[in-house]
Amino acid sequence: MNNQKIKINNVSVVLGGNVKALDKINLEIKKGLITGLIGPSGAGKSTLVKSIVGSLKLTAGEILVFGNKPASKELRKNIGYMTQELSVYSDLSIKENLKYFGRTYGMKRNTLNSEIEKLLEKIELTEKKNVLVSNLSGGQKQRVSLGLAMLPDPELLILDEPTIGLDPTLRNKLWKLFRELVDQNNKTIILTSHSMDEARRCDDLILIREGRVLIQGSPKYILDKTNSKDIEEAFLKLTETK
Amino acid sequence: MSISRTLSTTNRVLRQLLHDPRTLVLLFVVPSILITILKYVFEKQNSVFSSIAPMLLGIFPMVMMFLITSITTLRERRSGTLERLMSTPLDKTDFIFGYAIAFSFLAFLQALITSTTMLVILKVTVLGGTVATLIGAVISALLGTSLGLFLSAFANTEFQAIQFMPAVIFPQFLVCGLFVPRDQMSKILQWFADIMPLTYSVDAMKQVTLSSKWTFTHTKDLLIVLSFSIFALILGSITIKRQRKG
């Protein structure tokens, strides 16, 4: 994982029913940043993250994640993926879910328990650790799902709509956590959001619509380039011109 | 394949079931109740009951494990947990064998309870003994598990998964020799029965009932069921795609 970039070359993905979810996408995502894939529902954000993780086959093009092919063994050891669906075992407790996923990453029993306790504090679920996931609220389930991605302390975190449905206070706390992971622990985060408001918190933005990239750059670059006050305005201007 | 990851999967599957006591009761109690009902259906024909009951021990574990496995794996596929697992270092074989070990263990417990009911409470004589009966039941359960893992790939909903019961299991059930000796069926059905694994599972149980010695035919029957199970497990692991097509 020495290579510093995620390279997406001419990638197209055609879904069932001949729907072009991604159309000849070319991108470079840098290591050590929070990169936001921003766009409305159906823009192709989840398809792009699934392609990077390797759960979706490309119709055309190539992706290299820090020099590794998606779904390769090397990459799977270093990636934490939070899917848009909750993808958590609802008939297990929070701790049981974390233990199982920790074991799939080969985490040793003695360190696993202490890592779980630390993580539970970060996602503020220590009190509920023995509660079955089916008995949790939507926001709590969301945090469990995020916890599963963070537990193995991966180099790359791919988070599909990680803050959807969370209250503003908790959302703020999670963003602080993401920032800490990137700035202090040198992690890379790619996250999707349809909230233009969250976009300004990212280091790098990729605005995407109908399977095509509208623009990539820092929030400041995008605002300057489009002469806009906020990302939403920039998005609308770019949509009109393209 | 990693033993530690496989056993973690087994542990996880068993824990999920432990949190679901209703399923456990159905799994462990229903076969004993059904065999007890059968005993009183044949109240005046005890010899018929004594010959059928052990054969049912070759069928119940397969049917129940088929149902549970196909629905549980389908849930994994549909809820996104399988997609998430496939993004981790977990190997497909860890997943498949983790399930197979968990359900074989459950089948062992189920067979232990059902055969205890049959041998101790209902006083059925099995010349081959309890151990041979349990081995037959566990291998039959492994068959159900492997078929469930494989066929769940072809269902999109739980409703469809349940429909595989009449489509895949019932024909085997009808021709396996439980109702009518196979040599009295039409030739086509005999050929069909010859290539179906449930036939050999039931035959193995017949051997256990009738012979006090472990015969070559008994070994052959069990090996056929086992080979079929392994083949279905391999097919099952092929249906689990790390990368799915767009």
Side-chain angles (χ1 to χ4, degrees):
Chain A
M1 304 277 279
N2 293 326
N3 199 305
Q4 299 296 306
K5 282 174 185 165
I6 297 171
K7 290 181 179 173
I8 298 165
N9 297 325
N10 220 16
V11 163
S12 294
V13 173
V14 179
L15 299 176
N18 222 14
V19 177
K20 221 169 200 181
L22 295 179
D23 189 9
K24 293 178 190 154
I25 292 220
N26 286 292
L27 286 170
E28 276 196 358
I29 298 173
K30 284 183 194 141
K31 212 172 187 178
L33 298 179
I34 300 179
T35 300
L37 291 171
I38 311 291
S41 292
K45 307 183 296 289
S46 293
T47 308
L48 185 54
V49 292
K50 279 172 198 269
S51 305
I52 296 170
V53 170
S55 61
L56 205 58
K57 257 187 187 163
L58 307 180
T59 311
E62 187 193 40
I63 295 179
L64 284 176
V65 184
F66 306 140
N68 298 290
K69 285 198 168 171
S72 63
K73 213 170 187 178
E74 183 59 30
L75 184 61
R76 281 187 280 127
K77 278 189 249 168
N78 291 298
I79 205 167
Y81 174 40
M82 177 188 175
T83 52
Q84 197 175 44
E85 310 83 45
L86 287 170
S87 312
V88 175
Y89 293 105
S90 55
D91 44 4
L92 288 181
S93 69
I94 299 175
K95 200 170 174 182
E96 286 168 333
N97 265 288
L98 289 167
K99 267 192 174 172
Y100 176 54
F101 275 90
R103 300 290 292 156
T104 65
Y105 281 90
M107 292 175 77
K108 299 276 171 257
R109 274 179 212 282
N110 46 355
T111 52
L112 183 56
N113 279 332
S114 61
E115 290 302 318
I116 287 175
E117 291 304 324
K118 278 189 230 164
L119 181 80
L120 285 167
E121 270 179 42
K122 283 181 189 166
I123 56 172
E124 298 189 6
L125 285 172
T126 307
E127 303 282 302
K128 304 258 179 190
K129 65 182 176 186
N130 293 317
V131 175
L132 288 187
V133 170
S134 57
N135 295 331
L136 299 174
S137 70
Q140 288 167 335
K141 286 178 186 167
Q142 186 84 353
R143 277 180 277 157
V144 179
S145 182
L146 175 63
L148 295 184
M150 287 168 55
L151 180 67
D153 195 27
E155 275 189 51
L156 172 63
L157 267 170
I158 296 190
L159 312 173
D160 202 353
E161 302 274 6
T163 54
I164 197 167
L166 298 182
D167 69 77
T169 319
L170 189 63
R171 208 179 329 162
N172 204 32
K173 280 183 185 168
L174 286 182
W175 268 100
K176 276 187 185 160
L177 181 63
F178 296 158
R179 183 50 60 202
E180 190 186 302
L181 285 169
V182 168
D183 293 348
Q184 291 170 27
N185 303 311
N186 203 28
K187 306 291 178 194
T188 305
I189 297 179
I190 299 173
L191 56 86
T192 71
S193 176
H194 60 260
S195 157
M196 303 291 168
D197 177 45
E198 284 192 322
R200 64 185 169 80
R201 296 176 182 251
C202 299
D203 300 311
D204 196 33
L205 285 178
I206 297 163
L207 301 192
I208 183 167
R209 186 173 180 265
E210 291 177 354
R212 290 181 180 187
V213 173
L214 297 174
I215 196 167
Q216 180 179 11
S218 67
K220 187 177 178 310
Y221 168 79
I222 292 175
L223 293 179
D224 290 347
K225 179 101 179 164
T226 56
N227 197 21
S228 307
K229 279 181 280 176
D230 54 43
I231 297 296
E232 187 158 357
E233 190 186 332
F235 187 87
L236 289 171
K237 280 184 181 172
L238 288 163
T239 309
E240 279 162 20
T241 53
K242 296 207 176 182
Chain B
M1 185 177 165
S2 137
I3 292 173
S4 143
R5 290 188 179 109
T6 303
L7 293 179
S8 295
T9 304
T10 302
N11 181 32
R12 187 262 296 170
V13 174
L14 291 175
R15 276 181 185 277
Q16 282 180 282
L17 282 163
L18 271 178
H19 289 301
D20 184 4
R22 200 174 300 177
T23 297
L24 285 179
V25 169
L26 288 169
L27 195 63
F28 294 138
V29 178
V30 167
S32 293
I33 293 175
L34 290 177
I35 284 201
T36 309
I37 291 173
L38 199 70
K39 157 97 177 162
Y40 293 101
V41 167
F42 290 105
E43 193 173 19
K44 304 233 164 77
Q45 295 166 278
N46 201 36
S47 61
V48 177
F49 172 70
S50 296
S51 63
I52 288 178
M55 284 196 264
L56 285 176
L57 262 185
I59 295 172
F60 282 150
M62 181 208 178
V63 172
M64 298 198 89
M65 293 305 154
F66 174 81
L67 265 180
I68 291 182
T69 319
S70 51
I71 289 174
T72 318
T73 344
L74 183 71
R75 262 199 296 182
E76 291 254 22
R77 290 177 201 268
R78 286 177 57 80
S79 68
T81 47
L82 185 62
E83 181 189 342
R84 186 170 211 157
L85 282 177
M86 288 299 107
S87 75
T88 74
L90 189 85
D91 204 84
K92 288 196 284 181
T93 46
D94 298 329
F95 179 82
I96 290 275
F97 283 97
Y99 260 98
I101 295 169
F103 285 121
S104 298
F105 175 68
L106 286 176
F108 172 75
L109 293 180
Q110 187 197 53
L112 196 67
I113 294 167
T114 317
S115 54
T116 305
T117 309
M118 194 179 78
L119 302 174
V120 179
I121 303 172
L122 303 177
K123 313 264 185 231
V124 173
T125 312
V126 175
L127 293 175
T130 315
V131 174
T133 311
L134 286 174
I135 291 172
V138 170
I139 291 179
S140 153
L142 185 64
L143 176 66
T145 302
S146 54
L147 283 176
L149 279 166
F150 170 52
L151 289 168
S152 69
F154 303 99
N156 288 324
T157 61
E158 274 95 342
F159 186 65
Q160 285 176 7
I162 290 172
Q163 297 307 312
F164 281 130
M165 268 284 286
V168 178
I169 306 293
F170 283 6
Q172 296 190 59
F173 187 64
L174 292 174
V175 301
C176 70
L178 182 71
F179 301 111
V180 179
R182 288 203 304 280
D183 54 10
Q184 290 176 25
M185 294 177 195
S186 79
K187 265 276 176 267
I188 292 173
L189 287 186
Q190 284 183 44
W191 291 335
F192 176 65
D194 285 348
I195 54 167
M196 289 294 117
L198 191 61
T199 305
Y200 298 94
S201 182
V202 168
D203 276 0
M205 281 305 186
K206 262 189 211 165
Q207 293 285 322
V208 176
T209 318
L210 301 173
S211 172
S212 58
K213 285 180 186 163
W214 190 288
T215 63
F216 170 74
T217 318
H218 186 192
T219 310
K220 186 196 76 185
D221 288 338
L222 289 179
L223 281 177
I224 290 173
V225 181
L226 201 60
S227 309
F228 205 100
S229 307
I230 292 167
F231 182 60
L233 281 179
I234 293 167
L235 288 180
S237 72
I238 293 169
T239 64
I240 292 174
K241 303 272 186 219
R242 205 173 283 285
Q243 285 188 301
R244 75 182 163 80
K245 274 187 183 171

